[in-house]
C-alpha cells in the first residue's frame, strides 16, 4: 500500500495532465508495484513515457506511428484512444510490447526508436510487458473500489444529516471538551 501511494504521488502530475483519473493512476502504480518496480525509478520512467506519448500524439509523425505500431493500432486509432482514455492506450502499448518477440520484432531496437532507451524506462516497460494483463486487472479493481468507496461516503453523509446523528456528534464533541 505504501508503494502504491508512493507511485501515485510520482505519477499524478503526468497522469492528471493527460486526463487519467485517480483510480487509473493508482491502478498503474499498483501494476508497477506488483512486478517489483521501485517507486522512484518506475514513477520517473512512467512519467517520462506518458510525456513522450502525449507529445507524439500532439505532434503526430513518425513517433506517433511507432507507438501505434507497438500497440497494434493505426496512428489514428492510437491517438484517438489516447485522447479518450490514456490508460487504455498505455495498456495497448504494454500489451503490444509483450508480443514483440512473437511478431519477430526486436524489443530493444524498438525502444531505441521510441526514445525510451533509458535503463529505468526499459526496465519498467519490460517488467510491465512481462505481466501485460496486470494494468487491465488493476484498473478494473481500482474503478470498482472507487465506485464502492463513493457509494459508502454518500450513504454515510446521508446518515449523518439526520437530527439524531447530529445530536450524537454534538454530544461526542461535548464529551471531548
Amino acid at each position: 500500500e505504501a508503494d502504491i501511494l508512493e507511485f501515485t504521488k510520482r505519477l499524478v502530475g503526468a497522469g492528471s495532465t493527460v486526463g487519467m483519473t485517480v483510480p487509473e493512476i493508482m491502478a498503474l502504480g499498483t501494476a508497477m508495484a506488483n512486478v517489483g518496480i521501485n517507486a522512484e525509478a518506475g514513477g520517473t520512467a512512467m512519467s517520462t513515457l506518458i510525456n513522450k506519448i502525449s507529445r507524439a500524439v500532439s505532434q503526430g509523425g513518425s513517433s506517433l506511428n511507432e507507438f501505434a505500431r507497438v500497440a497494434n493500432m493505426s496512428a489514428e486509432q492510437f491517438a484517438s484512444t489516447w485522447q479518450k482514455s490514456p490508460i487504455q492506450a498505455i495498456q495497448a502499448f504494454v500489451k503490444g510490447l509483450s508480443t514483440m518477440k512473437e511478431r519477430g520484432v526486436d524489443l530493444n531496437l524498438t525502444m531505441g526508436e521510441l526514445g525510451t532507451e533509458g535503463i529505468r524506462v526499459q526496465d519498467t516497460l519490460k517488467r510491465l510487458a512481462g505481466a501485460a494483463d496486470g494494468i487491465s486487472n488493476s484498473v478494473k479493481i481500482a474503478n470498482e473500489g472507487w465506485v464502492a468507496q463513493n457509494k459508502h461516503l454518500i450513504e454515510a453523509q446521508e446518515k449523518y444529516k439526520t437530527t439524531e446523528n447530529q445530536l450524537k456528534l454534538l454530544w461526542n464533541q461535548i464529551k471531548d471538551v
Side-chain angles (χ1 to χ4, degrees):
E1 292 166 351
D3 289 342
I4 294 167
L5 288 176
E6 192 61 35
F7 271 114
T8 302
K9 288 191 303 187
R10 294 179 183 282
L11 295 171
V12 74
S16 61
T17 300
V18 298
M20 291 173 67
T21 65
V22 172
E24 290 170 342
I25 293 168
M26 292 183 84
L28 186 55
T30 301
M32 294 169 69
N34 285 341
V35 294
I37 298 171
N38 172 285
E40 183 177 313
T44 300
M46 187 54 69
S47 292
T48 300
L49 178 70
I50 289 169
N51 291 331
K52 283 183 182 288
I53 294 174
S54 183
R55 191 170 32 255
V57 168
S58 295
Q59 295 174 346
S62 62
S63 186
L64 173 59
N65 289 333
E66 278 300 307
F67 281 110
R69 181 180 66 83
V70 171
N72 289 319
M73 298 180 175
S74 70
E76 294 79 22
Q77 287 174 313
F78 188 80
S80 175
T81 301
W82 180 259
Q83 290 164 347
K84 291 178 188 169
S85 177
I87 193 69
Q88 287 182 350
I90 292 170
Q91 288 172 7
F93 177 75
V94 169
K95 195 165 268 196
L97 287 174
S98 72
T99 64
M100 297 295 278
K101 187 174 182 179
E102 296 167 10
R103 293 187 279 161
V105 180
D106 185 307
L107 182 58
N108 292 321
L109 182 62
T110 299
M111 287 188 173
E113 291 169 357
L114 291 170
T116 56
E117 63 274 346
I119 191 72
R120 287 182 174 182
V121 176
Q122 283 194 8
D123 181 54
T124 297
L125 291 176
K126 286 177 181 178
R127 287 189 196 197
L128 285 173
D133 290 331
I135 297 173
S136 301
N137 294 336
S138 294
V139 168
K140 182 180 180 224
I141 292 168
N143 284 331
E144 289 170 359
W146 192 260
V147 169
Q149 172 194 346
N150 286 340
K151 180 181 170 188
H152 293 304
L153 285 174
I154 291 168
E155 288 174 13
Q157 287 173 343
E158 290 301 316
K159 183 177 179 181
Y160 292 136
K161 285 182 184 177
T162 66
T163 304
E164 180 184 357
N165 281 316
Q166 289 294 314
L167 289 172
K168 286 180 184 177
L169 291 172
L170 176 62
W171 180 246
N172 287 337
Q173 289 177 343
I174 291 170
K175 286 194 299 189
D176 286 344
V177 170

